[in-house]
Amino acid sequence: WYCELQGEDAEVFEDSFVMVSGLDESFMSGESIQSGVTTLLAPNALIEGGHMMIPAGAQVELGKKDRRRSLAETSGTKTVLAVRVVANDASSTSSVETIRKEVFEGVGLKSQYEQCSHGKLQLIPATGTGITGGVTTVTINQSVSGKSRGIIESAVRGQLGNLANVADHVMLCLPPGTNDGWIAYAYVNSWLSVYNDEWCTYLSAQLHELGHNLNLGHSGEGSQAYDDQSGYMVSAWAQGKIYNEPFVKNALM
């Protein structure tokens, strides 16, 4: 489980998202917990190195934000920043120019969300110092080989500061070499998505993960999370199918 720090905590600590440990699994898997809605108050928690450790016996309180306020906006104009990462032992395979083209030009994240929303959602490149066409490069003093994706994600965010103030949505393109053979992941009803190297240039992964940011769940059929194959909220693939209607009826909100 990850939590997004709020208020003074977000200002004090470098990590905007922290991994929560120390809570009983049954406590965190309750039906009352909703991504982007449930709040966690733990006055005695210790936060360090991207982790929130809750001591045994500490008081913990769950609450809820106003769901009407917390849902991600799914229309209008939103900025997107893609981040190419250079580590001590590896770099994102795709160049800044390649990432820019795959995200913002031709058949990519920008064009497909515009088409699928019938023009109601416009994704535009973020601008600012060190950003070229919606893409920036960050260098971390960290090797990626054999490391967990969470450690590298935390290192990148530490270099970039409060990314939530840079763009409405941020895509981290991590270098190859992290462990576990993962593809990509995103925080539901939030602003951050993370990709294993070239997966950040694959259309299916881009649309799928940003869909999670927009509060979409997986497109299930019956009891199977990925069985509805009619849109992008199923498992990602490297290339091939292009849908004009990715938000299928079975994508869970």
Side-chain angles (χ1 to χ4, degrees):
W1 287 90
Y2 283 82
C3 278
E4 182 176 10
L5 300 179
Q6 303 289 320
E8 293 182 0
D9 288 335
E11 296 176 4
V12 171
F13 297 98
E14 292 182 346
D15 295 293
S16 49
F17 288 96
V18 291
M19 180 182 292
V20 179
S21 58
L23 290 178
D24 184 84
E25 182 65 25
S26 61
F27 178 85
M28 295 300 291
S29 61
E31 294 183 1
S32 61
I33 295 180
Q34 296 175 274
S35 180
V37 177
T38 302
T39 59
L40 174 68
L41 178 63
N44 296 319
L46 304 175
I47 301 176
E48 184 177 6
H51 286 77
M52 175 189 289
M53 178 61 195
I54 300 177
Q59 181 181 358
V60 177
E61 179 181 336
L62 294 179
K64 286 186 181 296
K65 294 190 290 186
D66 186 335
R67 186 173 177 82
R68 292 170 298 177
R69 289 183 171 181
S70 64
L71 290 178
E73 291 291 338
T74 56
S75 62
T77 300
K78 307 185 78 173
T79 55
V80 177
L81 174 67
V83 180
R84 182 177 184 271
V85 179
V86 176
N88 290 341
D89 57 345
S91 302
S92 304
T93 300
S94 297
S95 65
V96 167
E97 183 64 12
T98 297
I99 295 172
R100 183 187 67 80
K101 289 181 177 179
E102 295 296 335
V103 174
F104 298 110
E105 291 186 1
V107 179
L109 182 74
K110 181 181 185 299
S111 67
Q112 291 307 103
Y113 264 99
E114 181 176 344
Q115 183 168 344
C116 293
S117 67
H118 301 283
K120 293 182 179 180
L121 179 57
Q122 303 284 331
L123 301 177
I124 63 174
T127 59
T129 303
I131 300 174
T132 302
V135 185
T136 191
T137 298
V138 63
T139 300
I140 58 173
N141 186 22
Q142 176 78 260
S143 295
V144 300
S145 180
K147 298 291 197 316
S148 73
R149 61 195 186 186
I151 289 175
I152 304 305
E153 177 202 324
S154 180
V156 174
R157 290 191 283 103
Q159 287 294 105
L160 287 171
N162 191 352
L163 294 174
N165 291 335
V166 177
D168 295 310
H169 293 282
V170 178
M171 305 168 60
L172 302 185
C173 306
L174 302 190
T178 52
N179 59 18
D180 295 334
W182 59 288
I183 291 176
Y185 61 94
Y187 296 93
V188 177
N189 196 23
S190 188
W191 49 269
L192 182 65
S193 56
V194 187
Y195 305 81
N196 190 354
D197 196 32
E198 291 192 289
W199 280 99
C200 73
T201 65
Y202 295 153
L203 180 62
S204 66
Q206 296 171 3
L207 292 176
H208 183 106
E209 302 309 336
L210 191 74
H212 284 317
N213 282 174
L214 298 176
N215 207 42
L216 291 178
H218 290 140
S219 181
E221 191 75 61
S223 61
Q224 301 301 311
Y226 293 103
D227 267 17
D228 184 344
Q229 299 290 307
S230 59
Y232 283 111
M233 296 314 293
V234 297
S235 297
W237 53 90
Q239 52 184 300
K241 294 177 284 187
I242 295 177
Y243 294 118
N244 291 327
E245 300 289 345
F247 308 122
V248 296
K249 63 181 180 180
N250 291 323
L252 303 176
M253 297 295 287

